[in-house]
Amino acid sequence: TEDANVAQSFTAGTSTDYGTFKWFEFSGSAPVSVTARYFWQDERVLRKLIRGGDESPPQVVLEPVLEFDDVVFTHTPTAWTYNDSTKLWSYTEGKITVTLLTTHDAGAEFPATTITATLISDLRPQIDLPAPIPGRLPPPTPPANQVGFRISGEPNLLQGTYRSGNGANLTFDDSSYYVTRGSGSPRTVTWEATSEVIDYTTITNISIEFVGRVDRSGISQSFFVYNPSDSEHNPISGYAGTPDESSAYLTANTDRTVTFEFNSSDVAYVNSLGSKVVKIKLMATDPAVFDHSADKLVFKVAGTPSSNFFRDFAVDTNPTIEVGSVVSGDFTGLASNDTTYYVTQETGDIIQWSAISEAITLDTATSTEVRFVGRTTKGSPTMQFYVFNPANGGDGYPATPNATTTYTSINSDIPTTFFLNSADLAYVNSLFPKEVRIRIKGSGGGAQWRFEADHLIFRVKP
């Protein structure tokens, strides 16, 4: 009974083990792990206690017990249950039921008799509700795959002081930040962000993925979902008084990832819009001055895309240089066709590097187009493009390139586009997560020629 009352968990046993209770004791300077294991041996039920790695000799709990099955431990877990109709939680107390079976053989005056005794002991209560708060709609079950949509334009800073960065810094988890400083009393940073247009006919699920950091520990951060149609929201601001997600940064200067699902009311509101967009508000507060640095904000959506929907997936890690060297830039310069270049230089008249797309979060890709823009600084080199597929053998790249472009003018951007063939598309669809890997190889530019890559994306249709 005492073990059950203090236990934080119970694990059912196998073979001749009935099960093990586990808890932590906090009487000293550090928590001490304690387990109490119950098992059957030599017609006895024994208890073995391990406290902080120190084992105590087994204690006899019950004897004689002729068979292991004469004692049965039944575990009823502690559970909170949410009723979507009443919007209320109900609590089921956890317990351990121990059933004892004793058989008396038949005698001269009495037949054989089986006596059953039952001992019920309550488990340590679970005090906290799991989430969400009672009275609010629970979030839909997240799907296996979602498509990520990014912020449109710039964050709308409502309170705080702008320090550095912009909306483009929220595209990747790449340690490039949109930085703001808290103002007012208490010090507060508040900004809004709106997604790019979501070209879906119907949305079934929306979630947020956010990565950020602060320069002081203990700072609280909350997210609010915009939905002026919800009666629980302020009709003017469109936000609820209670955040949809709230937590704190326990460590300073360390990136922290936050994810949460929209409830069904907020998903329904987005579906009601002619041009579907998602809008949220972020708020961080602390009594003292602090800097808030946002690294990534993605709106993840599942549902039915429109017939002309496609999704562009970028390169989210630096290319692998196989021949040649990097002069300047990194993978972030490849996200947009904006004359921000990833520059490489030849070795032995060869430039060769490979790149991998970010995870393609679609159930099935029906077509994938590689879209590339680049230029040469010298000569008339030829760039060859290869798609990785292990079926090619060797290092996975084919002997014949999937596309070829010759650069006849220097310092002039030239596009290259091509689609994956059916075999390569089937290989991509077999992966989880899905990704496309390509190799780019150039030659013919002469000594010290450089190639400047401006744009590389993978346009995928579901």
Side-chain angles (χ1 to χ4, degrees), residues 146-437:
Q146 297 174 305
V147 176
F149 289 83
R150 299 178 174 90
I151 179 176
S152 175
E154 299 297 322
N156 177 26
L157 184 60
L158 302 176
Q159 183 173 347
T161 304
Y162 169 80
R163 300 281 286 168
S164 63
N166 52 44
N169 295 119
L170 301 176
T171 300
F172 299 113
D173 181 6
D174 59 359
S175 300
S176 64
Y177 300 95
Y178 172 69
V179 184
T180 49
R181 174 168 290 179
S183 65
S185 181
R187 301 283 181 165
T188 302
V189 164
T190 305
W191 50 262
E192 295 175 316
T194 303
S195 74
E196 56 192 328
V197 174
I198 301 168
D199 192 13
Y200 273 46
T201 57
T202 304
I203 297 172
T204 57
N205 180 275
I206 303 172
S207 66
I208 295 296
E209 180 184 356
F210 174 85
V211 179
R213 62 169 57 192
V214 292
D215 61 352
R216 295 182 60 255
S217 61
I219 293 172
S220 62
Q221 175 179 276
S222 300
F223 290 89
F224 303 79
V225 176
Y226 180 80
N227 180 0
S229 297
D230 192 327
S231 60
E232 295 184 13
H233 289 213
N234 184 304
I236 298 175
S237 71
Y239 298 107
T242 303
D244 294 270
E245 196 284 333
S246 185
S247 54
Y249 289 89
L250 302 180
T251 306
N253 299 314
T254 302
D255 277 2
R256 179 171 173 272
T257 301
V258 176
T259 60
F260 68 95
E261 304 285 330
F262 282 28
N263 64 43
S264 55
S265 172
D266 295 336
V267 173
Y269 167 70
V270 176
N271 273 317
S272 73
L273 301 176
S275 181
K276 296 179 175 61
V277 295
V278 179
K279 183 178 177 180
I280 64 163
K281 180 174 69 175
L282 176 148
M283 179 183 293
T285 60
D286 194 73
V289 176
F290 68 93
D291 281 351
H292 182 276
S293 301
D295 191 14
K296 179 181 180 180
L297 175 60
V298 175
F299 305 85
K300 294 186 173 182
V301 175
T304 303
S306 63
S307 58
N308 61 347
F309 172 80
F310 62 82
R311 187 72 191 139
D312 287 344
F313 295 90
V315 176
D316 64 355
T317 57
N318 281 326
T320 300
I321 297 296
E322 298 167 346
V323 181
S325 59
V326 178
V327 177
S328 62
D330 60 19
F331 72 94
T332 60
L334 300 173
S336 302
N337 187 6
D338 58 1
T339 66
T340 302
Y341 295 98
Y342 175 68
V343 183
T344 51
Q345 181 168 307
E346 58 80 32
T347 296
D349 194 36
I350 303 293
I351 291 175
Q352 181 174 302
W353 49 268
S354 58
I356 304 174
S357 73
E358 61 185 318
I360 298 173
T361 51
L362 295 172
D363 289 319
T364 303
T366 60
S367 73
T368 299
E369 181 185 12
V370 179
R371 301 173 67 87
F372 179 84
V373 177
R375 68 184 187 180
T376 181
T377 60
K378 184 180 179 182
S380 299
T382 296
M383 305 300 291
Q384 298 175 321
F385 300 80
Y386 304 82
V387 177
F388 177 83
N389 184 343
N392 292 318
D395 61 3
Y397 292 102
T400 302
N402 298 82
T404 300
T405 299
T406 299
Y407 292 77
T408 56
S409 301
I410 64 172
N411 298 323
S412 296
D413 282 357
I414 297 177
T416 300
T417 62
F418 64 94
F419 286 87
L420 269 63
N421 61 39
S422 57
D424 293 338
L425 187 63
Y427 167 67
V428 171
N429 277 317
S430 72
L431 302 176
F432 186 81
K434 298 175 178 63
E435 63 183 22
V436 180
R437 182 183 302 183

Side-chain angles (χ1 to χ4, degrees), residues 10 18 40 45 62 64-65 67-76 95-103 114-121:
F10 176 80
Y18 295 110
W40 180 84
V45 175
L62 187 66
V65 179
E67 301 289 342
F68 168 75
D69 294 335
D70 288 348
V71 175
V72 178
F73 279 59
T74 304
H75 177 212
T76 301
K95 61 183 179 181
I96 293 292
T97 303
V98 181
T99 305
L100 313 176
L101 305 176
T102 304
T103 301
T114 300
I115 300 174
T116 302
T118 301
L119 172 66
I120 300 176
S121 182

